[in-house]
Amino acid sequence: MIDTHARSTINSFATKRTVQATIAKSRRKGMVEGSDLAKVFAWIRPNDLIWNYWVSNYLLGQDPPAFDVLAWNADATNLPNQLHEQFLELSLGNLLIEPGGLSVFGQPIDLSKVEIDHYSVGAVTDHIVPWQSSYHATQVFSGEHRFVLSNSGHIQALVNPPNNSKASYFVGDGYPPSAEAWRQSATRESGSWWTDWINWIDQRSGGWKAAPKTPGNATHEALCEAPGTYVRS
């Protein structure tokens, strides 16, 4: 998410008063609880993530259908209050747009100095990261650009394997300052953007190498069997 001032539902919540209130609360607790973050994201898309379950589950007594793509919703993570404040500062100030607007360890950040090629993906119905915000990467980074606009929403646009018969995406050659202008001239391609990305990255990769038969090497030995001891800690 590059342009944080792109029109979106989440920005309608970010008034000066609400931001001050949430910062004060996170300072008192030392963190933002994962459950509170989940509520914020749910209210960004209330018809699907709140009222849908209110009607079908609470009023009609129906169990929510299993939906593997959204299983991550049940895995909320607490956010330290200082990181929370930094995120809000970055978002409200749109600091990634302005060269030197953001500093990390005293180093001013200027995205135009990033000269490597980049591939960006937007999602047509993304309710968290508007695709226009993702498109703005073509305006601030240096190097060659490749922007694709995938159908569907925030998660499903990315988890979109080539065997999905409903998948499609938009591509365009030029990148004008206006995201909407790009959209009008872009063409629709059937299938998943994964195949487009594979072709793009293949042109920028070295030759193929045989996959190792055993994990680790002489420099970095394998520590243990999968899935790793950290899973059990």
Side-chain angles (χ1 to χ4, degrees), residues 79-94:
L79 189 67
N81 71 294
Q82 290 184 330
L83 183 58
H84 174 236
E85 289 188 43
Q86 290 174 351
F87 279 152
L88 289 175
E89 179 185 1
L90 187 153
S91 178
L92 294 176
N94 210 9

Side-chain angles (χ1 to χ4, degrees), residues 99-164:
L102 175 69
S103 294
V104 178
F105 294 113
Q107 177 64 47
I109 303 301
D110 183 355
L111 297 184
S112 66
K113 301 295 184 181
V114 181
E115 299 178 350
I116 60 175
D117 299 345
H118 75 274
Y119 188 104
S120 303
V121 181
V124 174
T125 58
D126 196 326
H127 64 294
I128 297 177
V129 182
W131 71 267
Q132 294 87 346
S133 174
S134 300
Y135 175 84
H136 205 80
T138 65
Q139 307 301 304
V140 295
F141 285 101
S142 298
E144 293 186 13
H145 309 297
R146 180 66 169 174
F147 177 79
V148 301
L149 180 59
S150 177
N151 70 326
S152 197
H154 185 70
I155 295 297
Q156 288 180 293
L158 298 181
V159 185
N160 200 0
N163 60 0
N164 182 1

Side-chain angles (χ1 to χ4, degrees), residues 36-58:
D36 287 338
L37 289 174
K39 292 174 185 176
V40 171
F41 287 115
W43 277 108
I44 296 173
R45 199 171 181 175
N47 286 345
D48 295 325
L49 300 179
I50 293 179
W51 304 124
N52 173 52
Y53 297 109
W54 176 270
V55 173
S56 61
N57 183 247
Y58 182 76

Side-chain angles (χ1 to χ4, degrees):
M1 190 168 183
I2 302 298
D3 182 6
T4 57
H5 284 181
R7 181 180 298 179
S8 66
T9 305
I10 195 170
N11 283 344
S12 65
F13 291 92
T15 65
K16 183 177 181 180
R17 184 175 180 180
T18 58
V19 169
Q20 290 176 341
T22 189
I23 288 178
K25 181 179 179 180
S26 66
R27 283 178 176 175
R28 289 194 303 268
K29 302 186 69 173
M31 66 176 182
V32 180
E33 293 188 8
S35 58
D36 287 338
L37 289 174
K39 292 174 185 176
V40 171
F41 287 115
W43 277 108
I44 296 173
R45 199 171 181 175
N47 286 345
D48 295 325
L49 300 179
I50 293 179
W51 304 124
N52 173 52
Y53 297 109
W54 176 270
V55 173
S56 61
N57 183 247
Y58 182 76
L59 296 181
L60 300 179
Q62 300 172 351
D63 292 331
F67 194 17
D68 56 352
V69 173
L70 295 182
W72 60 271
N73 271 357
D75 189 22
T77 303
N78 297 334
L79 189 67
N81 71 294
Q82 290 184 330
L83 183 58
H84 174 236
E85 289 188 43
Q86 290 174 351
F87 279 152
L88 289 175
E89 179 185 1
L90 187 153
S91 178
L92 294 176
N94 210 9
L95 301 182
L96 291 177
I97 297 300
E98 297 295 333
L102 175 69
S103 294
V104 178
F105 294 113
Q107 177 64 47
I109 303 301
D110 183 355
L111 297 184
S112 66
K113 301 295 184 181
V114 181
E115 299 178 350
I116 60 175
D117 299 345
H118 75 274
Y119 188 104
S120 303
V121 181
V124 174
T125 58
D126 196 326
H127 64 294
I128 297 177
V129 182
W131 71 267
Q132 294 87 346
S133 174
S134 300
Y135 175 84
H136 205 80
T138 65
Q139 307 301 304
V140 295
F141 285 101
S142 298
E144 293 186 13
H145 309 297
R146 180 66 169 174
F147 177 79
V148 301
L149 180 59
S150 177
N151 70 326
S152 197
H154 185 70
I155 295 297
Q156 288 180 293
L158 298 181
V159 185
N160 200 0
N163 60 0
N164 182 1
S165 60
K166 298 181 180 180
S168 64
Y169 59 95
F170 293 89
V171 293
D173 293 329
Y175 298 102
S178 169
E180 299 299 339
W182 174 88
R183 174 65 182 83
Q184 292 177 6
S185 62
T187 57
R188 181 179 179 272
E189 300 286 342
S190 297
S192 170
W193 63 268
W194 288 16
T195 54
D196 182 82
W197 179 81
I198 289 174
N199 293 332
W200 183 88
I201 198 67
D202 186 57
Q203 297 172 8
R204 292 160 175 79
S205 303
W208 288 83
K209 295 182 179 180
K213 297 181 179 180
T214 58
N217 54 40
T219 305
H220 303 285
E221 296 183 0
L223 299 178
C224 59
E225 296 291 332
T229 55
Y230 77 94
V231 175
R232 304 182 182 88
S233 61

